[in-house]
Structure formats: structure tokens, C-alpha cells
Amino acid sequence: MELTFWWVLPMALVMAGAAFWWGLTRYKQGNARRRPVAYGDRLTALPEYQSAVRRYRRWVTVMAVAAGMLIAACAVAAARPAERSTVRPEQQNRDIVLCLDASGSMSSADSAVVETFGRLAQEFDGERIGLTIFDSTAVQVFPLTDDYEYVAEQLEEARRAFDGESEAAGFLDGTWGGEGSSLIGDGLASCVRSFPGADGQQGAAQPRSRSIILATDNYLSGNPIFTLAEAGALAQESGVRIYALNPGDYDFGSDPGQPGAQLRSVAEKTNGGYFVLDDPEAVAGIIQRVQATEASRFQGSPRAVVADRAEVPLAVALLSGLVLAGASWRLKP
Amino acid sequence: MTTSLVQRVKSKLSIFAHRKARGMLDGEYGSVFKGRSLDFEDLRAYVPGDEVRDIDWKATARHGSPLIRRYVAVRRQTLLLVTDTGRNMAATSADGEDKKDIAVMALGILGYLALRHRDVVGLVAGDSAGSRSLPAKGGEAHLERLLREVHSRAGLSVPPSDLRVQLEHVARNYRQRMLLFVVADELLPDPGMEKLLRRLRAQHEILWLTIRDADLGAPGEQYDVADSLVLLSHLAGSEEVRRAYGLASAERTAGRVGMFRRLGIAEVTAGSSHEVVPAIFSLLERHRHGR
């Protein structure tokens, strides 16, 4: 807390002193225009007069204190108390693609992911979010967008589909057309390609952080065009970080060929993260962490921010002004 | 000051004399002292206020209208003016005049009457710090000096008033029998004062004129001369305080009047200098009938 115009305070002090002095001399000279009388104790000794004087004095004290506080608070407010702080503004120019494996084993994790993002989307401001689901083929449900209303609507739809509600079953249409199922490499590649500028226009505008939330158990059945490693390399090339959520990491031992380990290595190569989901409830927490990491990775340069903090003095001034008004109304002769 | 104080007194008296019979005050003054000598001087026409027993009935019968016998005073009587020149006298009276102006007017009128009777006039005046006495002499110039002493002494910068100091001074320093004319304000009577007055009363004739003090409940800002503190007149104007003040001042007046009645001292009050002449007239009247 500092004062922008600190010199207002000494000035106000000097002026208040001058006003006080002027008032005092006026009071002292005031007897020139008052009538001198003898035996003032004829009046001042009366208990009725004394109690009236006590009451009067009490109100005058209230008034003086209120006036003093009003002046002090106004002087402080005029000196513009300001808070100078350095902030690292969090730039909200992230792009997030939710890349969900729509195979049957994943539905509870998928449901948790879309539900969490549905909630997060309400607080987004500037982020773009896209959704791609894949099984044997990948379907882009919606591309990167900041139309959060639409996003929330679609994510709700997705949640209902993943929860197995019958009227939303059509949502997953188009993911089974290809050969095999859970072609994770293809799905991830599709997701990576859904970022704009992947075809060489990148860097035209402000750089945006890119991340993929990949929910899969990495149980491949079929013959994908891209292997997981190839898709990971593509992501790395495009500057996309992959956060993998695995609801069924049943790896045993430290063999790098196992599905969980593969997924971990791909995610970590892209500077992303790998999370094992024991419980769909934990998705929310994981996504928070992912968001936080992303946020801390993508902060603007520190800036000094000066904010006027005149609320307290102004509130005090208002309050004492009201008291002053009340007291002067009460003292009205 | 351009006009002399005695001149002012005389003009006030002449206005009064036009309204009432000329010489009435003289008659009243002349009868204050019972102990005048009986050396016949001459006759003059009766004026209301003269002692009836001074009427020369034979001469009256011859003349057709009442005639008064005048006597030559063997020794001059002394009128001692006693007043307060402390700070209280710089205050305002009930009618807003300076109290000291009223005091000067009252002292001047009685002093002037005394001079007309070839009496001598002295002065004891002062404040709580002490008294000054000026010797009794005749002549307008002397009276002027006395009045000026009173007028110039009283002010806001002098010590506070305490009439008892002056009364004690009189009790201590004057052996002869005199006519005391005390001009005071609405002082608060107490047993000490009463005892002192009883002592003076035994030796002297006492006439007392009280100058009424300002009404403290009246609107307008006022301050106490004793301590320069402002009296909050808007508080004094409230119903409750006003009523209490009325009761208290009635009680105070009753206490003072009661003391003078017990002592057998004639006392009148005056709130302005216009009231002084009638007040002195009734004072002399009451003094004559008071015993």
C-alpha cells in the first residue's frame, strides 16, 4: 500500500492546522460581539443547564470526531492510496483437444472427462476446446472453438452417450467404420491434425499452447495407419503436449513394450503427463492439475499493476459524513 | 469623553423635573436626615415630598399656600457613595446598557442632590483586590471627579467584583455618621454580608440601589465576565432550563429583598438609566417611610 500523491497529506495537515487556528482566534475574538454579563453562575449553576451542556458537549464531540475523520479520510482518499503489485498474467490462449477413446471399456473415464470439461468450460475465457472421439475411425465432434455454450451442450451430449443413455446413442456413430477397434495411433494423429496451422501456418498469429487430453487404455486391436509412437512424434513436431489418462493400466513389470508404458513414454516425450486412473472420480482432480501445469507453463511477462485502493477511506468518509449530518441535525438550535 | 458626567446627570434630572414638580427630589433628599439643626433660615413653597412637620402652618395660613421652614445645617452632612468598580460593572444590565453607566447615573443624581443641599460627597469604590476612597468634598468639579473615577475604573480587565471589600472598608475607616448610598448589582446575599450590613446600618443611614443584571435566558450570545466563558444561550432557551432559571432567579431576588427587609434598609432596583430617577425618588420615599 502506498500513496500516489503523498504530498496531499502534509498539505491537508497544514490546512487543517490553519483552519483550527483561524477557528480558535475567531472563538477568542468572538467575545467582542457577545454581551458581557455578570453572575453567569445564575445560569451555569443550574443542574438543568449543566445536563443540557453535557448533552450538547457529547454531540459536539461526536460531531468533531466525525468531522475530523471525514477530513482525514478525504485527505487519505485524495492522496490516492494504491496497491502496487507485480502480476504474471495468465494468458488464456490455450487450445485443448479432448481425444477420447470411445471403445466400450473407456466409457466411464470418458464420461468423467467430458463432465469435468463441461464444468470447466463455464469458466473458460479465451481458451479453445475441441472434441474428437475415436474407435476404429476418428470423428471430430467439434473443432477447436470458444463458443462455450455450444461446447457445454456437446459435452453434455457426449456425457450422456458415454453413460449409455439410449437416446444419445447416435452420438458415437461413425467411429466403427474402419477395420479393428481402438486404433489409438490413428485417433491421436487425427487429434493432432485438428489443431490449426498444422499444415505450416503456425506462428502466424499469437502462439497458443496446445494440449491434448488423451483418454485411452491403449489396448489396440487392429492395424492402425499410425502407430502410437508415430502419432506421438507427430504431436511433438506440432508442439502439442499430450496428457494421457489411462483408466486401466494393468502393466506388470517394467517391460517398455506394455501398453501403459508405451503411452507413458509417448506422453512424456511431448512434455505432457501420464496419469493412471484408478477411479473415474479422480478425473476432475487430474484435469485441474493438467490445467494448472498448462497455466504455469504459459504465463506472460510480469507486469506492475497499480490499483487504487480508496474503498476504505471513502467508506470511512461516507460513514463519518452521515454521522456528521446526523449530529448537526441533532444540534440544530 | 466629551460631555462631563455631571452634565449628563443634570440633564437627566431636568428632564425628570419637567415631568414632575420641580424640587420634589430635593424635598425627598432633604428629609433623609432627621438630625438636621433647627436654625431657621427662610421659608419656601411646599413641594410634594417635604416633611409635613416642616410646614410652617402660621405662615401658610397668612400666605394662602403651604410654606416650608428651612433651616441652616450646622454641619454639613456627608454622603458617601459606595460602589463596585470590579469586572461585574463592565457587564450589561437587564436593558442592555453597561451597568457602570447606570451606576454613574445613580451616584451622580444622589451626589448632585447632596451638593444642592450643600452636603459633601465622598466615594468608596473598588473591586475584590481593594478599595479606593476619595474624601468627601463639595462642588460639582469634585463630583465629576468621583464619577469619572467610577466610570474609568470599571472595565473587563480589572479584578473581579466583591462589594464586601468596599463595605468592610467603610466599616473600618469611617467613624462619623453618614448617608451611605450603595450602588450594587444582583449580588447573592449571605450571612456574612448581612452581619456586615447590620453593623453599618447601626452607624449610618443606608440607601441601596440594585442594578438589575442581564437576563441570561435572553436570546443572543453572552459571556460571563468572571471567566470569559460563553453561555450557551440556545441551551438556556430550552423550556426546562428556562423554567429552572426563572425559579432560581426569583429565589435569588427574594433572598436579597428579604435580607434588606430584615435589615430595614430601603432598596430599589433599576434596569436602565431611565429608571434611575424614579428609582431614587421611590428609594428616598421608602427610606422616609421605612422606619
Side-chain angles (χ1 to χ4, degrees):
Chain A
M1 196 70 85
E2 55 187 284
L3 298 174
T4 315
F5 305 131
W6 62 269
W7 44 265
V8 168
L9 288 190
M11 219 165 74
L13 210 65
V14 166
M15 280 168 70
F20 184 76
W21 180 78
W22 180 75
L24 203 68
T25 36
R26 242 184 83 83
Y27 174 80
K28 279 186 178 161
Q29 290 165 355
N31 276 357
R33 62 192 161 78
R34 296 190 186 104
R35 286 198 305 156
V37 293
Y39 302 115
D41 57 345
R42 284 178 296 159
L43 180 64
T44 55
L46 295 175
E48 289 84 356
Y49 177 81
Q50 283 169 356
S51 71
V53 166
R54 270 196 298 278
R55 273 198 304 276
Y56 179 75
R57 202 166 276 168
R58 215 153 37 221
W59 279 107
V60 165
T61 309
V62 166
M63 216 163 128
V65 167
M69 273 172 67
L70 178 64
I71 290 169
C74 284
V76 169
R80 286 188 65 185
E83 200 152 31
R84 185 186 294 274
S85 54
T86 50
V87 296
R88 297 171 69 87
E90 189 177 311
Q91 290 183 346
Q92 296 180 320
N93 48 4
R94 304 195 295 259
D95 288 345
I96 301 165
V97 169
L98 308 180
C99 196
L100 309 178
D101 184 346
S103 61
S105 58
M106 289 297 298
S107 53
S108 62
D110 288 343
S111 162
V113 170
V114 292
E115 197 194 339
T116 306
F117 270 92
R119 230 175 19 249
L120 285 176
Q122 289 164 9
E123 294 157 20
F124 281 173
D125 181 22
E127 290 96 338
R128 290 189 300 186
I129 190 165
L131 176 59
T132 298
I133 54 177
F134 64 90
D135 196 350
S136 57
T137 56
V139 171
Q140 190 178 46
V141 179
F142 53 88
L144 284 171
T145 178
D146 55 4
D147 182 354
Y148 304 122
E149 211 173 302
Y150 175 72
V151 166
E153 195 180 294
Q154 287 298 311
L155 290 175
E156 174 63 14
E157 186 87 350
R159 188 191 62 74
R160 296 224 307 268
F162 289 128
D163 284 349
E165 289 176 28
S166 54
E167 71 269 25
F171 188 78
L172 303 176
D173 284 359
T175 56
W176 302 303
E179 298 168 5
S181 78
S182 289
L183 301 179
I184 292 140
D186 290 359
L188 183 56
S190 298
C191 294
V192 171
R193 299 299 292 179
S194 69
F195 285 104
D199 42 355
Q201 296 163 8
Q202 203 200 341
Q206 188 186 7
R208 301 177 73 90
S209 94
R210 301 169 157 190
S211 50
I212 287 175
I213 309 287
L214 173 63
T216 181
D217 49 11
N218 201 18
Y219 280 103
L220 186 68
S221 64
N223 211 0
I225 299 164
F226 285 89
T227 64
L228 182 59
E230 282 166 350
L234 195 63
Q236 208 175 340
E237 198 178 300
S238 312
V240 176
R241 280 188 290 279
I242 295 171
Y243 295 94
L245 277 68
N246 188 350
D249 188 348
Y250 303 120
D251 288 7
F252 193 74
S254 56
D255 178 8
Q258 293 184 83
Q262 280 179 17
L263 198 53
R264 179 190 290 271
S265 85
V266 165
E268 283 171 358
K269 264 186 200 149
T270 60
N271 288 327
Y274 175 76
F275 303 96
V276 175
L277 269 186
D278 297 326
D279 175 13
E281 300 290 313
V283 168
I286 289 167
I287 287 169
Q288 295 274 346
R289 267 160 60 197
V290 171
Q291 289 280 75
T293 333
E294 281 288 281
S296 65
R297 278 188 188 165
F298 215 86
Q299 280 177 337
S301 54
R303 270 196 299 153
V305 175
V306 179
D308 278 336
R309 302 304 301 270
E311 304 92 340
V312 174
L314 286 181
V316 169
L318 177 67
L319 214 67
S320 37
L322 286 175
V323 171
L324 186 62
S328 52
W329 177 77
R330 183 70 187 69
L331 276 187
K332 191 177 50 174
Chain B
M1 196 166 306
T2 49
T3 57
S4 85
L5 295 168
V6 171
Q7 211 58 47
R8 248 200 263 178
V9 168
K10 280 159 84 175
S11 62
K12 182 67 85 180
L13 262 179
S14 74
I15 292 167
F16 179 78
H18 271 284
R19 275 199 241 119
K20 306 232 175 173
R22 174 175 288 279
M24 206 153 116
L25 270 171
D26 285 326
E28 292 286 352
Y29 178 81
S31 58
V32 166
F33 286 99
K34 295 292 190 291
R36 289 185 177 270
S37 79
L38 294 173
D39 294 348
F40 177 76
E41 190 181 49
D42 64 351
L43 289 170
R44 65 168 172 82
Y46 169 84
V47 290
D50 283 342
E51 284 278 352
V52 175
R53 62 177 188 175
D54 286 347
I55 296 176
D56 186 339
W57 294 108
K58 284 183 183 167
T60 300
R62 274 199 302 276
H63 192 253
S65 63
L67 290 174
I68 291 287
R69 261 182 284 194
R70 291 223 284 200
Y71 303 99
V72 182
V74 175
R75 61 189 177 96
R76 289 173 162 186
Q77 299 295 335
T78 305
L79 169 67
L80 186 64
L81 306 175
V82 179
T83 193
D84 161 27
T85 54
R87 217 181 290 160
N88 277 1
M89 274 295 158
T92 50
S93 72
D95 287 16
E97 269 177 273
D98 278 2
K99 277 158 69 177
K100 68 173 176 183
D101 287 345
I102 300 175
V104 165
M105 184 57 71
L107 295 171
I109 284 171
L110 211 70
Y112 186 67
L113 289 177
L115 292 185
R116 293 245 295 244
H117 282 78
R118 301 193 196 99
D119 286 346
V120 290
V121 184
L123 173 75
V124 170
D127 43 48
S128 60
S131 302
R132 274 169 60 83
S133 57
L134 296 177
K137 285 181 192 167
E140 282 186 18
H142 178 68
L143 181 61
E144 176 73 25
R145 213 182 121 220
L146 303 188
L147 298 186
R148 274 187 194 281
E149 167 73 19
V150 172
H151 196 272
S152 60
R153 194 52 68 98
L156 288 171
S157 50
V158 299
S161 296
D162 187 1
L163 191 67
R164 199 182 312 173
V165 175
Q166 283 74 57
L167 294 177
E168 273 165 1
H169 180 91
V170 173
R172 226 177 13 252
N173 295 315
Y174 290 85
R175 293 274 165 264
Q176 85 197 87
R177 179 177 166 80
M178 292 180 297
L179 172 60
L180 297 187
F181 180 45
V182 184
V183 175
D185 50 15
E186 292 187 29
L187 41 83
L188 188 64
D190 57 52
M193 171 79 93
E194 187 163 346
K195 200 170 159 221
L196 181 59
L197 283 176
R198 199 178 294 282
R199 145 83 181 79
L200 287 172
R201 170 78 177 75
Q203 185 181 354
H204 308 286
E205 304 283 336
I206 300 181
L207 299 174
W208 195 289
L209 186 133
T210 296
I211 299 170
R212 284 202 306 278
D213 273 297
D215 178 9
L216 300 182
E221 289 185 85
Q222 299 173 331
Y223 71 97
D224 193 347
V225 289
D227 47 16
S228 294
L229 285 182
V230 177
L231 301 177
L232 302 168
S233 59
H234 61 278
L235 297 183
S238 82
E239 193 66 39
E240 190 189 6
V241 177
R242 189 106 194 97
R243 198 170 334 111
Y245 174 73
L247 280 175
S249 55
E251 199 177 309
R252 190 181 174 111
T253 305
R256 196 184 68 242
V257 169
M259 178 181 80
F260 287 122
R261 185 170 300 134
R262 281 197 299 281
L263 294 171
I265 295 175
E267 185 230 4
V268 289
T269 64
S272 71
S273 53
H274 305 295
E275 295 175 26
V276 166
V277 178
I280 286 178
F281 182 74
S282 76
L283 178 66
L284 295 171
E285 190 96 311
R286 280 172 56 181
H287 180 74
R288 190 152 61 93
H289 294 136
R291 48 182 80 198

Coordinates of all heavy atoms in Angstrom, one line a residue, chain B residues 11-40:
Chain B
S11 N -28.8 66.9 33.1 CA -29.8 66.9 32.1 C -30.8 65.8 32.3 O -32.0 66.0 32.1 CB -29.1 66.7 30.7 OG -28.5 65.5 30.6
K12 N -30.4 64.7 32.9 CA -31.4 63.6 33.2 C -32.3 64.1 34.3 O -33.6 63.9 34.2 CB -30.6 62.4 33.7 CG -31.4 61.2 34.1 CD -32.1 60.6 32.9 CE -31.2 59.6 32.2 NZ -31.9 59.0 31.0
L13 N -31.8 64.8 35.2 CA -32.6 65.4 36.3 C -33.6 66.4 35.8 O -34.7 66.5 36.2 CB -31.7 66.0 37.4 CG -31.4 65.2 38.6 CD1 -30.5 65.9 39.5 CD2 -32.7 64.7 39.3
S14 N -33.1 67.2 34.8 CA -34.0 68.3 34.4 C -35.2 67.7 33.6 O -36.3 68.2 33.6 CB -33.2 69.3 33.5 OG -32.9 68.7 32.3
I15 N -34.9 66.6 32.9 CA -36.0 66.0 32.1 C -37.0 65.5 33.1 O -38.2 65.7 33.0 CB -35.5 64.8 31.3 CG1 -34.6 65.3 30.2 CG2 -36.6 64.0 30.8 CD1 -33.8 64.2 29.5
F16 N -36.5 64.9 34.2 CA -37.4 64.4 35.2 C -38.2 65.6 35.9 O -39.4 65.5 36.1 CB -36.6 63.7 36.3 CG -37.4 63.1 37.4 CD1 -38.2 62.0 37.2 CD2 -37.5 63.8 38.6 CE1 -39.0 61.5 38.2 CE2 -38.3 63.2 39.6 CZ -39.0 62.1 39.4
A17 N -37.5 66.6 36.1 CA -38.1 67.8 36.8 C -39.2 68.4 36.0 O -40.1 69.0 36.6 CB -37.0 68.8 37.2
H18 N -39.1 68.3 34.7 CA -40.2 68.8 33.9 C -41.4 68.0 34.1 O -42.5 68.5 34.0 CB -39.8 68.8 32.4 CG -39.1 70.1 32.0 ND1 -39.8 71.3 31.8 CD2 -37.8 70.4 31.8 CE1 -38.9 72.2 31.6 NE2 -37.7 71.7 31.5
R19 N -41.2 66.7 34.2 CA -42.4 65.9 34.3 C -43.1 66.0 35.6 O -44.3 66.1 35.7 CB -42.0 64.4 34.0 CG -42.0 64.2 32.5 CD -42.1 62.7 32.3 NE -40.9 62.3 31.5 CZ -40.0 61.4 32.0 NH1 -40.2 60.8 33.2 NH2 -39.0 61.1 31.3
K20 N -42.3 65.9 36.6 CA -42.8 66.0 38.0 C -42.5 67.4 38.5 O -41.9 68.3 37.9 CB -42.2 65.0 38.9 CG -42.3 63.6 38.3 CD -42.9 62.6 39.2 CE -43.1 61.3 38.5 NZ -43.6 60.3 39.5
A21 N -43.1 67.7 39.7 CA -42.8 69.0 40.2 C -41.4 69.2 40.5 O -40.7 68.3 41.0 CB -43.6 69.1 41.5
R22 N -40.9 70.4 40.2 CA -39.5 70.7 40.4 C -39.2 70.7 41.9 O -40.0 71.1 42.7 CB -39.2 72.1 39.8 CG -37.9 72.7 40.0 CD -37.7 74.0 39.3 NE -37.5 73.8 37.9 CZ -36.4 73.5 37.3 NH1 -35.3 73.2 38.0 NH2 -36.3 73.3 36.0
G23 N -38.1 70.2 42.2 CA -37.7 70.2 43.6 C -38.2 69.1 44.4 O -37.9 69.0 45.6
M24 N -39.0 68.2 43.8 CA -39.6 67.1 44.6 C -38.5 66.2 45.1 O -38.5 65.8 46.3 CB -40.4 66.3 43.6 CG -41.5 65.6 44.3 SD -42.8 65.3 43.2 CE -42.9 63.6 43.1
L25 N -37.5 66.0 44.3 CA -36.4 65.1 44.8 C -35.6 65.8 45.9 O -35.2 65.2 46.8 CB -35.4 64.9 43.6 CG -35.8 63.6 42.8 CD1 -34.9 63.6 41.6 CD2 -35.5 62.4 43.6
D26 N -35.5 67.2 45.7 CA -34.8 67.9 46.8 C -35.5 67.7 48.1 O -34.8 67.5 49.1 CB -34.8 69.4 46.4 CG -33.8 69.7 45.3 OD1 -32.8 69.0 45.3 OD2 -34.1 70.6 44.5
G27 N -36.8 67.8 48.0 CA -37.6 67.6 49.3 C -37.4 66.2 49.9 O -37.1 66.1 51.1
E28 N -37.4 65.3 49.0 CA -37.2 63.9 49.5 C -35.8 63.8 50.1 O -35.6 63.2 51.1 CB -37.4 62.9 48.3 CG -38.8 62.8 47.8 CD -39.7 62.0 48.7 OE1 -39.1 61.5 49.7 OE2 -40.9 62.0 48.5
Y29 N -34.8 64.3 49.4 CA -33.5 64.2 49.9 C -33.3 64.9 51.2 O -32.7 64.3 52.2 CB -32.4 64.7 48.9 CG -31.0 64.7 49.4 CD1 -30.3 63.5 49.3 CD2 -30.4 65.7 50.0 CE1 -29.0 63.4 49.8 CE2 -29.1 65.7 50.5 CZ -28.5 64.5 50.4 OH -27.2 64.4 50.9
G30 N -33.9 66.1 51.3 CA -33.8 66.9 52.5 C -34.3 66.2 53.7 O -33.9 66.4 54.8
S31 N -35.3 65.3 53.5 CA -35.9 64.6 54.7 C -35.2 63.3 55.1 O -35.6 62.6 55.9 CB -37.4 64.4 54.5 OG -37.5 63.6 53.3
V32 N -34.1 63.0 54.4 CA -33.4 61.8 54.7 C -32.8 61.9 56.1 O -33.0 61.0 56.9 CB -32.3 61.5 53.7 CG1 -31.4 60.4 54.2 CG2 -32.9 61.1 52.4
F33 N -32.2 63.0 56.4 CA -31.6 63.2 57.7 C -32.6 63.7 58.7 O -33.1 64.8 58.4 CB -30.4 64.1 57.6 CG -29.2 63.4 56.9 CD1 -28.9 63.6 55.6 CD2 -28.4 62.6 57.7 CE1 -27.9 63.0 55.0 CE2 -27.3 61.9 57.1 CZ -27.1 62.1 55.7
K34 N -32.8 63.0 59.7 CA -33.7 63.5 60.7 C -33.0 64.5 61.6 O -33.6 65.3 62.2 CB -34.3 62.4 61.5 CG -35.1 61.4 60.7 CD -36.4 62.1 60.3 CE -37.3 61.1 59.6 NZ -36.9 60.6 58.4
G35 N -31.7 64.4 61.7 CA -31.0 65.1 62.7 C -30.5 66.5 62.2 O -29.4 66.9 62.6
R36 N -31.2 67.2 61.4 CA -30.7 68.5 60.9 C -30.9 69.5 62.1 O -31.8 69.4 62.9 CB -31.5 68.9 59.7 CG -31.1 68.1 58.5 CD -31.7 68.6 57.2 NE -31.2 67.8 56.1 CZ -30.1 68.1 55.4 NH1 -29.4 69.2 55.7 NH2 -29.6 67.4 54.5
S37 N -30.2 70.5 62.0 CA -30.3 71.6 63.0 C -31.6 72.3 62.8 O -32.2 72.3 61.7 CB -29.1 72.5 63.0 OG -29.3 73.4 61.9
L38 N -32.0 73.1 63.8 CA -33.3 73.8 63.7 C -33.0 75.3 63.5 O -33.9 76.1 63.9 CB -34.2 73.5 64.9 CG -34.6 72.0 64.9 CD1 -35.4 71.7 66.2 CD2 -35.5 71.7 63.7
D39 N -31.9 75.7 63.1 CA -31.7 77.1 62.9 C -32.4 77.6 61.6 O -32.1 77.2 60.5 CB -30.2 77.4 62.7 CG -29.4 77.1 64.0 OD1 -30.1 76.9 65.0 OD2 -28.2 77.0 63.9
F40 N -33.4 78.4 61.9 CA -34.3 78.8 60.8 C -33.5 79.7 59.8 O -32.8 80.5 60.2 CB -35.5 79.6 61.4 CG -36.4 80.1 60.3 CD1 -37.3 79.2 59.7 CD2 -36.4 81.4 60.0 CE1 -38.1 79.7 58.7 CE2 -37.2 81.9 59.0 CZ -38.1 81.0 58.4

